[in-house]
Amino acid sequence: MSVTAPRGFRASGVAAGLKSSGARDVALVVNDGPDASAAGVFTANRVKAAPVLWSQQVLRAGLVRAVVLNSGGANACTGAPGFQDTHATAEHAASALAGSADDGPAAGTAAGAGLSTIGAGEVAICSTGLIGERLPMDRLLPGVTAAVAGLTADGGPAAAEAIMTTDTRPKTTVVAGTGWTVGGMAKGSGMLAPALATMLSVVTTDAIAGPAVLDEALRAACRVSFERVDSDGCLSTNDTVLLLASGASGIAPTQAELTAAVTEACRDLARQLIADAEGASKEVAIEVVGAADSDDAVLVGRAVARNNLVKTALFGNDPNWGRILAAVGTTTAAFEPDRIDVAVNGVWVCRSGAAAEDRSKVDLTGRQVTIRIDLHAGPDEATIWTNDLSHAYVHENSAYST
Amino acid sequence: MSVTAPRGFRASGVAAGLKSSGARDVALVVNDGPDASAAGVFTANRVKAAPVLWSQQVLRAGLVRAVVLNSGGANACTGAPGFQDTHATAEHAASALAGSADDGPAAGTAAGAGLSTIGAGEVAICSTGLIGERLPMDRLLPGVTAAVAGLTADGGPAAAEAIMTTDTRPKTTVVAGTGWTVGGMAKGSGMLAPALATMLSVVTTDAIAGPAVLDEALRAACRVSFERVDSDGCLSTNDTVLLLASGASGIAPTQAELTAAVTEACRDLARQLIADAEGASKEVAIEVVGAADSDDAVLVGRAVARNNLVKTALFGNDPNWGRILAAVGTTTAAFEPDRIDVAVNGVWVCRSGAAAEDRSKVDLTGRQVTIRIDLHAGPDEATIWTNDLSHAYVHENSAYST
């Protein structure tokens, strides 16, 4: 049920003609309340797309009543005109939603009442697709109108489909609390895709929670989920994760309960991203243990995840631990080179920085790969998820000007 | 003439059976003096191969009479036994050279006199090949003996051939000073190759120059040559650049003169590495201008050079400036996103962070590509050389367990 699993949300996904394939390309998620609390996490890339700049402003007030998402165009590196396009989209959505609340079937409800006064400043925008080109507003705005008309309480799956780019399947999740629920959707091919690399996610809950509580829950969740997925180290201009709370369950979980549920939802979505990464033949978990601190563990895991020589070796079913050690050696993490142990799929091919068990014992024929690196430098650990580097990756990212 | 172009040097390259192909795999470069000054630059990887650890010790005294180089095995991640192998190789070479100086045709010369007292501590060692396996000493040591026997004043090309791994051709250079000369050889496929990624280079000169002068010249040269080549961002455990001076010309150039000649030699060799990079279909110069300082320019150049989405786009002849901007955006360099200009092969496809000239005007069909990035943040600039990311790269690095 995606983002519409929790009470208080409606969603839709329509085809507006942004994608040449004719597939759904505009999604709308509406929070009917009674609350409209929200939090957001955005790309760390300093080149930020117009919708990211817009949504960061919207989130400052901690109040979001609707999210418009489009595939088929990132609206990044489009200058002031691109920002105006995003603003116009939010204005159009707010106006259409207010109109539908006045006239439509939802009119008498609390939800309708909330939306009848909705302003553009309460509408977050997310875009994904090619960088550097303006969005075709003559198609997008009618698409938003259609998305408003199509809103339903079971529209979550259609919305999840509309945000897909090179994804081969929609990614959704539902996590049950005690009397309240977290739902979510995401798109992105584990950052493996080209200019389509953007990761977008909307997570919803009917729990009662204010913006500060949501913000803490979302940041904690992202740190151990989306931020630990590193497929090719390429950071998009558009990455956005939003958390919306309707309060419709009437239940206010503790911070810890909410954080746990949001974390579970984000982890589930993150793993789905890696599993669907374009051109990947392996899903790789890099478990770094024995680190002096958590930052060191993440640093080492990322260095290995981003190393093209490690990634191509995995594609070739080669447990090349020497490349792994060489990648670890490029970091500033605390470790002694002659104390590091490395296991590939459970076989400790490297002990104390030198060859140990016979590498021919390692079975790399399956899709799941676990690399375990023991730094012997402390008590902390972290897991980074990544993919191999395959011919299909090169093909996908070179053959299409996307 | 490679490393034997300057006076005072002999070299050789022999086949010792380390390579299964039967090609030359052991090289020897001998400095017959009268001087034996030397300087070295080594990999920044914290996981250093045994020969790097050894040679760093040797260079501490600024005195090198001979360099043994082998392909067919990196002797990296081999623990204490691997270090003992390196030590034994240096001992063996020193002993064989001293014996040849006593008995051989060079005996009466100043060179012979110097070598009759050579110690292991004056022999630098460089290795390249698979990480994590011991060297076959029963083949390497006889190979060193043969290399000593084969030393000639025109052996530079044979030595350059013996250090090749996945290189398709030897890399040599000669730069003429006024009455003195700089010669050099290098191996490495622009860091594109797998565990064979090591870059090794020996540069020689018959100028008179002490270790401190050589050190300053070599560091300055490397900063703007080898250190600006970034093919896949993968730093080897074995990278070594050595500069040896025989003083045989009797001429002592100024620091500036020597630095200029060594820089020219290193730049020539670095360009040859990129030109021969495995699996590459493009040689890419990333010119970063308008940087606040030189570090910023290098930082931005490297970020673009290492970005797999940029590299696959170039392989696909796609002037995808959006990916370039997204790569720049991941750095901490001083710039405003909406002021950046980007030209690809002379066409300014991006001005002020947004689309400018028509990307279809860009001709990417040739092998040479120039990306020019103007940060509009200051007066400094730097150029980084790299390659595209191709199917052949994935093939070379996944199909062979090297």
Side-chain angles (χ1 to χ4, degrees):
Chain A
M1 282 288 281
S2 170
V3 289
T4 47
R7 281 158 286 184
F9 291 92
R10 287 177 298 155
S12 60
V14 302
L18 303 178
K19 285 179 182 164
S20 56
S21 65
R24 296 181 206 261
D25 47 23
V26 174
L28 180 62
V29 179
V30 166
N31 183 350
D32 285 322
D35 301 339
S37 313
V41 167
F42 301 92
T43 183
N45 199 310
R46 289 169 60 201
V47 176
K48 294 185 202 316
V52 168
L53 296 171
W54 171 265
S55 296
Q56 283 183 316
Q57 286 188 6
V58 168
L59 264 294
R60 225 165 266 162
L63 189 78
V64 171
R65 292 189 191 276
V67 185
V68 177
L69 308 96
N70 75 274
S71 49
N75 195 8
C77 305
T78 46
F83 190 81
Q84 285 159 11
D85 289 343
T86 292
H87 188 168
T89 305
E91 290 279 8
H92 186 88
S95 163
L97 284 166
S100 78
D102 290 342
D103 312 331
T109 68
L115 289 175
S116 68
T117 60
I118 185 173
E122 297 164 306
V123 180
I125 308 282
C126 303
S127 300
T128 177
L130 183 61
I131 301 178
E133 296 196 354
R134 297 276 300 277
L135 290 172
M137 297 302 285
D138 57 336
R139 296 180 193 176
L140 177 56
L141 296 186
V144 171
T145 306
V148 170
L151 283 170
T152 63
D154 56 5
E161 198 187 311
I163 59 175
M164 289 166 62
T165 52
T166 52
D167 308 67
T168 65
R169 49 186 182 270
K171 285 97 182 167
T172 63
T173 190
V174 177
V175 176
T178 309
W180 53 281
T181 304
V182 172
M185 66 178 183
K187 65 79 48 176
S189 293
M191 307 291 279
L192 259 174
L196 309 172
T198 296
M199 197 221 75
L200 299 181
S201 179
V202 178
V203 178
T204 54
T205 180
D206 50 13
I208 296 174
V213 171
L214 293 178
D215 189 67
E216 183 171 331
L218 186 60
R219 281 175 200 286
C222 285
R223 257 198 303 277
V224 296
S225 59
F226 296 121
E227 289 174 19
R228 296 214 175 153
V229 169
D230 195 327
S231 192
D232 64 2
C234 298
L235 193 64
S236 157
T237 50
N238 291 54
D239 293 337
T240 302
V241 183
L242 300 176
L243 174 58
L244 315 178
S246 70
S249 69
I251 296 170
T254 64
Q255 177 77 62
E257 286 169 341
L258 184 68
T259 298
V262 172
T263 299
E264 190 180 331
C266 289
R267 276 205 165 127
D268 184 20
L269 291 169
R271 291 303 296 261
Q272 289 179 58
L273 293 185
I274 279 290
D276 193 27
E278 253 185 40
S281 72
K282 308 282 184 197
E283 297 167 38
V284 186
I286 300 170
E287 304 172 350
V288 181
V289 302
D293 56 40
S294 171
D295 286 350
D296 267 12
V298 170
L299 188 69
V300 167
R302 269 191 198 289
V304 175
R306 290 180 177 180
N307 189 284
N308 281 352
L309 295 179
V310 172
K311 294 163 90 80
T312 47
L314 292 173
F315 174 59
N317 293 341
D318 174 12
N320 198 318
W321 60 269
R323 297 183 186 180
I324 296 169
L325 240 62
V328 174
T330 64
T331 72
T332 56
F335 69 81
E336 291 300 325
D338 58 1
R339 294 198 62 197
I340 301 174
D341 300 335
V342 177
V344 180
N345 278 355
V347 180
W348 290 93
V349 285
C350 169
R351 291 272 192 196
S352 303
E357 286 190 71
D358 188 347
R359 53 198 274 160
S360 70
K361 286 185 191 163
V362 180
D363 181 3
L364 279 170
T365 53
R367 189 175 168 86
Q368 305 295 328
V369 177
T370 301
I371 295 173
R372 193 171 174 88
I373 301 165
D374 191 338
L375 297 176
H376 290 289
D380 271 307
E381 56 184 80
T383 298
I384 299 287
W385 291 279
T386 189
N387 297 106
D388 56 342
L389 174 53
S390 67
H391 285 296
Y393 175 91
V394 174
H395 180 71
E396 288 289 345
N397 289 295
S398 64
Y400 310 114
S401 178
T402 42
Chain B
M1 281 287 281
S2 170
V3 289
T4 48
R7 281 157 287 181
F9 292 92
R10 287 176 297 153
S12 61
V14 301
L18 303 177
K19 283 179 182 164
S20 56
S21 66
R24 295 181 208 260
D25 46 23
V26 173
L28 179 63
V29 179
V30 167
N31 183 351
D32 286 322
D35 301 339
S37 314
V41 167
F42 302 91
T43 181
N45 198 310
R46 290 170 59 203
V47 175
K48 293 185 202 317
V52 168
L53 296 171
W54 172 265
S55 297
Q56 282 182 317
Q57 287 187 8
V58 168
L59 263 296
R60 225 164 269 161
L63 188 78
V64 172
R65 292 190 191 275
V67 185
V68 177
L69 309 94
N70 75 275
S71 50
N75 196 8
C77 305
T78 45
F83 189 80
Q84 285 157 12
D85 289 342
T86 292
H87 188 169
T89 304
E91 290 278 9
H92 185 86
S95 164
L97 284 166
S100 78
D102 291 338
D103 311 333
T109 66
L115 288 175
S116 68
T117 60
I118 185 175
E122 298 163 307
V123 180
I125 308 281
C126 302
S127 300
T128 176
L130 182 61
I131 300 179
E133 295 197 354
R134 298 276 299 278
L135 290 172
M137 297 300 285
D138 57 335
R139 295 181 194 175
L140 176 56
L141 297 186
V144 171
T145 307
V148 169
L151 283 171
T152 65
D154 58 2
E161 198 187 311
I163 59 174
M164 291 167 62
T165 52
T166 51
D167 307 67
T168 66
R169 50 186 181 271
K171 286 98 181 166
T172 64
T173 189
V174 177
V175 177
T178 310
W180 53 280
T181 304
V182 172
M185 64 177 185
K187 64 81 47 176
S189 294
M191 306 293 280
L192 258 175
L196 308 174
T198 295
M199 197 221 75
L200 299 181
S201 179
V202 177
V203 179
T204 54
T205 180
D206 49 14
I208 296 175
V213 171
L214 294 178
D215 190 67
E216 184 172 330
L218 186 60
R219 282 176 201 286
C222 285
R223 257 197 303 279
V224 295
S225 59
F226 296 121
E227 289 173 20
R228 295 212 176 155
V229 168
D230 196 326
S231 190
D232 63 2
C234 297
L235 192 64
S236 157
T237 49
N238 291 54
D239 293 337
T240 302
V241 184
L242 300 177
L243 174 58
L244 314 180
S246 69
S249 70
I251 297 171
T254 65
Q255 177 77 62
E257 287 169 340
L258 183 68
T259 298
V262 173
T263 299
E264 190 181 332
C266 289
R267 275 206 165 126
D268 184 19
L269 291 169
R271 290 304 294 260
Q272 290 180 56
L273 294 184
I274 279 292
D276 193 27
E278 252 184 39
S281 72
K282 307 281 185 199
E283 296 168 39
V284 187
I286 301 170
E287 303 172 351
V288 181
V289 302
D293 56 40
S294 170
D295 286 351
D296 267 13
V298 171
L299 188 70
V300 167
R302 271 194 195 288
V304 175
R306 292 181 176 179
N307 190 286
N308 281 352
L309 297 177
V310 172
K311 293 164 91 78
T312 47
L314 292 172
F315 173 61
N317 294 341
D318 173 14
N320 198 318
W321 61 269
R323 296 184 187 181
I324 295 169
L325 240 63
V328 175
T330 63
T331 72
T332 56
F335 68 82
E336 291 301 324
D338 58 1
R339 295 199 62 199
I340 301 174
D341 299 337
V342 178
V344 181
N345 279 354
V347 180
W348 290 94
V349 285
C350 169
R351 289 274 191 195
S352 304
E357 286 190 70
D358 189 343
R359 53 197 277 160
S360 69
K361 287 185 190 164
V362 181
D363 181 1
L364 279 171
T365 53
R367 187 173 169 87
Q368 305 295 329
V369 177
T370 301
I371 295 173
R372 193 172 175 87
I373 301 165
D374 192 337
L375 297 176
H376 290 287
D380 272 307
E381 55 185 77
T383 298
I384 299 287
W385 291 280
T386 189
N387 297 105
D388 57 340
L389 175 54
S390 66
H391 285 296
Y393 175 90
V394 174
H395 180 71
E396 287 290 343
N397 289 295
S398 64
Y400 309 113
S401 176
T402 41

